[in-house]
Structure formats: structure tokens, C-alpha cells
Amino acid sequence: MRLCRPCGAVALAVALGASHAAPPTPSTAAAQRVRVQPSAGQVPANLLRLSIEFAARIEGPVLPRLALLRPDGKPLVQPFLEQELWSPDGRILTVLMHPGRVKTGLNAREVLGPILVDGDDVSLTLDGRPIQHWRVGPADTSGPAVSAWRLSSVRAASRQALVVTLDGAIDGRDADYIAIADPQGRRVSGEARLKDGERTWTFTPHAPWRAGEYRLIARGTLEDPAGNRLGGRFETPADAPAAAPVDAALAFTVGRASPSAGMHRP
């Protein structure tokens, strides 16, 4: 289970400094990249975080080996916060863009300017080799809206995947911030995944669905790649009181299977 994120640019930087986790003792395996998130071809100009998943634990610091390049090959100046946040297994690195340059009205942004600008093309490189390319789009200040999510139908007595079309991309590490509660309010065990540029969430239950009323529940700390969370925005005054995160839910029904369900026509 991941820890809740602190609110606000100042709190974010302080908390990261306090909770910095060094990678576990590495193996000698090469740093074979598995995937980068955001995985879509476009990111908002106020992108706050990205993650890189490797096939094995990585030896030594990775940040000095990363760069964001413009099309002419010139690197962006000081784009990252100097902290490496690793998953417990030491394979997934979360990198934060410097929040003082993402959030408007702060000194770092005034002096160095924003990191990304709408219309830019940038490439993320590791050891000088491109591992992800993004087109930069407009800043995203709206955040996820669970009420706009669309759920597919599923059949009772099946392990059919529930497919949830989100209203926009969410943070690539937040797949487990969404869960399903059964008619008795218990969490349904299953496998959750994000795909389509983190715009689609799928859930395959370990046991067949049973007929009844279910709820899809999104944790209030779920965020998009720009740091906007449910009911809260990253782009708020630094001295504004932090609002307590509030979970959101969508109800859906799993109908009883037809008597002929699963029967094949002759």
C-alpha cells in the first residue's frame, strides 16, 4: 500500500526530503528499462511526476543519468527535484519535476521559468539514450472527476474484466488507488491495471462476479500526472489550508446471469 501524498508545493518538497528512500542493495543486473509513465504521447505543461520501471534493481543514483532534451538536443536546465523515490523492490523510480517551477508564483519559476511549455517536444533520456518522447500540451488544472468515469457492464458468474474509462490520465502508480466493494462492503480481490496512456482502468476479479450492487471507490489521494487530486488542485496558494482528501464512489449493478448464459448454440 502506498503512502498518502502531502498537499501543496512546499509540503511536497519538505515531505520528499524527509521520506527519501534510497534504492535497496542492488544486484549486478543491467538497467533494462521496462516502461515509462506517463506512457501517452502527450503530457500537460504542468507535469509533476514521472516513473521508470526497470527489470531489475539499479546500482547507484539514476537522476544524474537522466535528462530532458529539446528537439535540438539541448537539455532543459534543472528540471527534476533532487530526490530519488524508489518502490520497496527497488525497480520503480518516481521522479518529480521541480515543484517550485511547476507551481506558478514561486521563486524558482520566476528565476528559471517553467520546465515545460505548451507546444514543446521533449525526450527523456537515460545515459544519453531516448526512453520516452512527449509532446507538451496545455496545463491541466482540473483534476480527476469520478462522476465523469464510465463503467462497462459485467456478467454474474463470470470473471469478465470491468473496464473503467476515466475522464483523463491518472498517475501511473495509482492503479491500486481504485477498488471495488461488493454488496456487503468488502473489497473485491482481483487484478487492477492501467492502460491507454493511464486513461483506462481495468479490474479482473479473482473469483466470478456475484449478482448484486457494487461500488467503485477511488481514494481521495488519487492524483493525475500534474498532481491534481480528487477535489483538490496542485495549483493553489502555498499558504492555503490543506483540504482533507475525500474518497469518491460510483455504484454499479451486476445482474443475474441468464439461464442460457455460457451455453453454446448447436
Side-chain angles (χ1 to χ4, degrees), residues 208-233:
W209 295 101
R210 295 184 178 183
E213 300 295 323
Y214 289 75
R215 288 188 304 152
L216 178 145
I217 301 174
R219 288 175 55 179
T221 49
L222 179 143
E223 294 185 358
D224 65 16
N228 304 303
R229 63 175 50 176
L230 301 184
R233 305 293 177 262

Side-chain angles (χ1 to χ4, degrees), residues 14 16 33 74 88 129 134 138 167 170 182 239 252 266:
V14 172
L16 288 175
R33 179 180 62 88
K74 293 182 178 179
R129 298 169 56 186
W134 293 300
D167 64 315
I170 64 172
D182 69 12
D239 58 353
F252 67 99

Side-chain angles (χ1 to χ4, degrees), residues 5 38 47-51 94-97 171 223-225 227:
R5 303 186 183 95
L47 176 70
L48 181 63
R49 65 172 63 84
L50 59 93
S51 64
T94 296
V95 178
L96 282 106
M97 311 296 279
D171 186 272
E223 294 185 358
D224 65 16

Side-chain angles (χ1 to χ4, degrees), residues 1 12 17 31 40 48 51 53 68 71 103-104 112 127 132 145 147 187 203 226 231 235 249 259-260:
M1 185 65 68
L12 177 64
L48 181 63
S51 64
E53 182 176 352
L68 276 177
K103 191 176 180 66
T104 60
L112 298 174
D127 297 330
Q132 184 73 26
S147 61
R187 182 167 185 163
F203 178 82
E235 191 61 50
S260 59

Side-chain angles (χ1 to χ4, degrees), residues 123-148:
S123 294
L124 177 68
T125 65
L126 174 66
D127 297 330
R129 298 169 56 186
I131 58 175
Q132 184 73 26
H133 175 82
W134 293 300
R135 176 75 173 176
V136 181
D140 180 3
T141 59
S142 58
V146 174
S147 61

Side-chain angles (χ1 to χ4, degrees), residues 53-90:
E53 182 176 352
F54 298 93
R57 295 184 179 190
I58 305 304
E59 183 174 3
V62 171
L63 268 179
R65 300 161 55 188
L66 293 175
L68 276 177
L69 304 184
R70 298 187 185 279
D72 61 7
K74 293 182 178 179
L76 298 178
V77 178
Q78 301 177 25
F80 307 126
L81 188 68
E82 293 296 323
Q83 298 287 345
E84 295 193 359
L85 302 176
W86 289 90
S87 61
D89 63 4

